Amino acid sequence: MIRPLLQVTAAVGALALIPVTTGAMASVDTSSYRELDAFMDVYTRVKADYVEKVDDATLIKGAIDGMLASLDPHSSYVDALAFDNMRLQTDGNYGGLGLSVTMEDGAVKVITPTEDTPAWRAGIKAGDYITHIDGKLIYGGTLDEAVSQMRGAPGSKIKLRIVRAGREKPLELELTRETIVQKAVKWEVQDGIGILNINTFSASTASDMRAGIAAIEKQLGGKPKGYVIDLRGNGGGLLDQAIEVSDAFLSHGEIVSQRGRDKSDIERWYAKADDLARGLPLVVLVDAGTASASEIVAGALQDHHRALVLGEKSFGKGSVQTLLQLGPRTALRLTTARYYTPSGRSVQEGGIEPDLPVPQISDPDYKSRPVFREADLRRHLINETKVDNAVIEEDTKTDPRFAATAEELEKKGIKDFQLHYALQTIGRIGAPARMAGGGTAKAGTR
């Protein structure tokens, strides 16, 4: 069975579960054979005349990587090294730093550090470039090679050189690896409000979230005033888990649709269960690190008017990848479809626009820190249904609600302004009130 995957990056120390399946060879027509003849001509010339001997495995791997690199940023060949990395992520018992990274023009770029990990505590930020590991330049290598070097035995030390935009000198950091156990869902209660921090969409996410809701109600001895669903920095994961999480807060209606190459290749998923939050107010927190499966949840709850989406525009990855196993330790990660929210919009390139744009002003460098999204990736898929908002006049006035500095907020004990604002928003709505729609909005039939 093919299980779709919705994920942005490779993670150092915490990877999402990726199931595999057997793939089938696509049919090759006559014109394709002519192109393959040209490939074989180049292959034989290189084998015969290159200045140094090159083994077949190196040439074939390079050809495969080049072929997939011509498609989109999320299609790739999973060789034995990457396959072993996926097995490590499934086990969850290994040393790492807690980083989600990607490769950009031969350089390793940080997408986001995971909360309460060595990378997070060292102050590594989204947009940073890792140029050296233990004094050795890693530019030009593969992402899997860099990930493997950053992993290691818990307790072992590693030195990183970090280049950050706007900073003249690179940062020299020494970190100690830890066993990274990324809990899919963390929960807490503040001011009578339940907070569900969903970090990834792994196989246990939906069940962990339901357990979190039960634990919140048990701690309070009843219903909370509402829930904050924190999807910030969540790079995605499994499609079925995103659907199940969305379903938990919707009583009926479409959750998401998936459309492949052919017009007839459409799948739709609908809510089946009752609203687990029983109509209580919901606020969904998003930022530039909210991607793919996370955007499905935010988009579904936003389209049904079941939740207020608060924060910053999300990453904008609206494509689905399927992992096709080719051999015992090799696979093909291939983009096979695009997904659409219940209203029929694609988040590809554009992302989810929050209902309430709220910057993270508790971060001292939030204005200068570079933001990295799908639209910044080379060869990203184009959103063919994108709406042109160029005619809309931009409001350049400073919002007085967000004029405080990070230092002023810290004096007030506010370390996370977006979360603080979300809690205040639910507090203003009040426990008896329901968000608009209350999980009853319709989008299609079951």
Side-chain angles (χ1 to χ4, degrees):
M1 173 182 175
I2 295 176
R3 197 176 186 187
L5 171 76
L6 297 130
Q7 189 180 8
V8 179
T9 59
V12 182
L15 299 174
L17 173 65
I18 303 179
V20 293
T21 185
T22 303
M25 279 280 286
S27 58
V28 182
D29 57 27
T30 306
S31 61
S32 298
Y33 280 117
R34 285 197 292 270
E35 298 299 330
L36 288 172
D37 284 341
F39 167 77
M40 287 306 299
D41 287 343
V42 173
Y43 171 79
T44 53
R45 287 285 185 178
V46 171
K47 285 282 289 182
D49 300 329
Y50 187 64
V51 65
E52 296 177 352
K53 277 192 173 184
V54 188
D55 63 272
D56 292 337
T58 299
L59 291 177
I60 297 300
K61 174 67 164 53
I64 292 172
D65 288 343
M67 174 171 57
L68 295 173
S70 69
L71 302 178
D72 72 286
H74 307 297
S75 294
S76 61
Y77 177 65
V78 182
D79 61 10
L81 177 60
F83 201 85
D84 290 342
N85 283 339
M86 287 192 295
R87 290 193 181 281
L88 279 175
Q89 93 188 60
T90 308
D91 295 339
N93 246 348
Y94 53 89
L97 303 178
L99 280 173
S100 292
V101 295
T102 189
M103 185 68 75
E104 184 180 276
D105 297 330
V108 176
K109 188 174 186 177
V110 175
I111 297 296
T112 186
T114 303
E115 185 180 349
D116 198 26
T117 61
W120 183 78
R121 290 192 293 270
I124 296 176
K125 298 185 177 182
D128 286 348
Y129 289 93
I130 301 172
T131 61
H132 293 70
I133 297 177
D134 290 330
K136 182 179 178 182
L137 180 68
I138 59 171
Y139 179 81
T142 68
L143 184 61
D144 287 318
E145 288 170 348
V147 169
S148 295
Q149 289 179 62
M150 283 185 270
R151 287 205 180 116
S156 61
K157 295 189 180 299
I158 181 174
K159 292 181 179 179
L160 301 181
R161 178 175 293 176
I162 305 291
V163 173
R164 180 173 296 168
R167 184 184 173 91
E168 288 187 17
K169 294 183 179 180
L171 292 165
E172 301 288 349
L173 302 175
E174 182 175 83
L175 291 79
T176 302
R177 296 181 180 94
E178 294 178 3
T179 298
I180 305 298
V181 181
Q182 186 180 23
K183 295 183 68 174
V185 180
K186 297 178 182 178
W187 66 269
E188 63 177 307
V189 175
Q190 288 190 34
D191 303 328
I193 297 167
I195 301 170
L196 296 164
N197 187 353
I198 303 178
N199 297 302
T200 186
F201 286 92
S202 62
S204 66
T205 297
S207 60
D208 289 350
M209 184 202 67
R210 287 192 291 269
I213 291 175
I216 287 168
E217 292 186 355
K218 182 178 179 181
Q219 179 173 320
L220 290 172
K223 296 181 183 179
K225 297 176 185 176
Y227 290 96
V228 174
I229 304 172
D230 192 347
L231 297 175
R232 293 174 298 174
N234 185 329
L238 299 175
L239 173 62
D240 59 352
Q241 293 297 300
I243 292 169
E244 202 171 334
V245 167
S246 303
D247 192 1
F249 300 104
L250 296 171
S251 57
H252 59 270
E254 184 176 306
I255 294 172
V256 67
S257 63
Q258 177 178 301
R259 309 178 194 181
R261 181 195 298 183
D262 300 325
K263 290 183 178 180
S264 59
D265 186 11
I266 300 177
E267 289 185 81
R268 299 181 187 274
W269 287 268
Y270 297 91
K272 303 184 291 294
D274 293 332
D275 178 359
L276 208 61
R278 289 166 286 190
L280 291 171
L282 299 180
V283 170
V284 176
L285 282 174
V286 299
D287 64 6
T290 303
S292 209
S294 301
E295 291 171 295
I296 285 179
V297 175
L301 298 181
Q302 186 181 57
D303 279 5
H304 282 281
H305 307 292
R306 179 61 189 94
L308 198 65
V309 178
L310 185 151
E312 300 160 283
K313 186 171 73 171
S314 64
F315 186 82
K317 178 178 177 290
S319 60
V320 179
Q321 282 68 48
T322 302
L323 210 69
L324 306 167
Q325 189 163 341
L326 304 177
R329 293 175 65 215
T330 57
L332 174 64
R333 184 189 288 110
L334 193 65
T335 300
T336 54
R338 303 171 190 253
Y339 69 80
Y340 295 80
T341 70
S343 64
R345 59 183 170 140
S346 168
V347 304
Q348 180 64 24
E349 289 188 284
I352 298 287
E353 291 283 355
D355 302 306
L356 277 177
V358 177
Q360 184 65 313
I361 60 176
S362 52
D363 186 346
D365 61 353
Y366 85 94
K367 287 185 178 180
S368 59
R369 178 165 41 87
V371 178
F372 178 70
R373 291 187 173 94
E374 174 81 5
D376 300 312
L377 296 175
R378 290 187 178 181
R379 301 177 312 279
H380 65 268
L381 294 178
I382 303 300
N383 186 348
E384 297 172 353
T385 61
K386 184 167 58 178
V387 178
D388 185 7
N389 292 324
V391 296
I392 300 176
E393 183 179 352
E394 185 178 354
D395 186 0
T396 57
K397 295 179 181 178
T398 302
D399 193 322
R401 296 172 298 173
F402 312 134
T405 65
E407 291 78 12
E408 290 170 342
L409 291 173
E410 189 173 2
K411 289 178 181 178
K412 295 179 180 179
I414 301 172
K415 296 181 179 180
D416 185 338
F417 181 74
Q418 290 174 331
L419 177 59
H420 170 76
Y421 202 93
L423 294 171
Q424 282 193 323
T425 300
I426 290 181
R428 284 192 292 266
I429 294 170
R434 292 168 65 93
M435 297 294 290
T440 60
K442 296 181 179 179
T445 57
R446 289 164 68 182

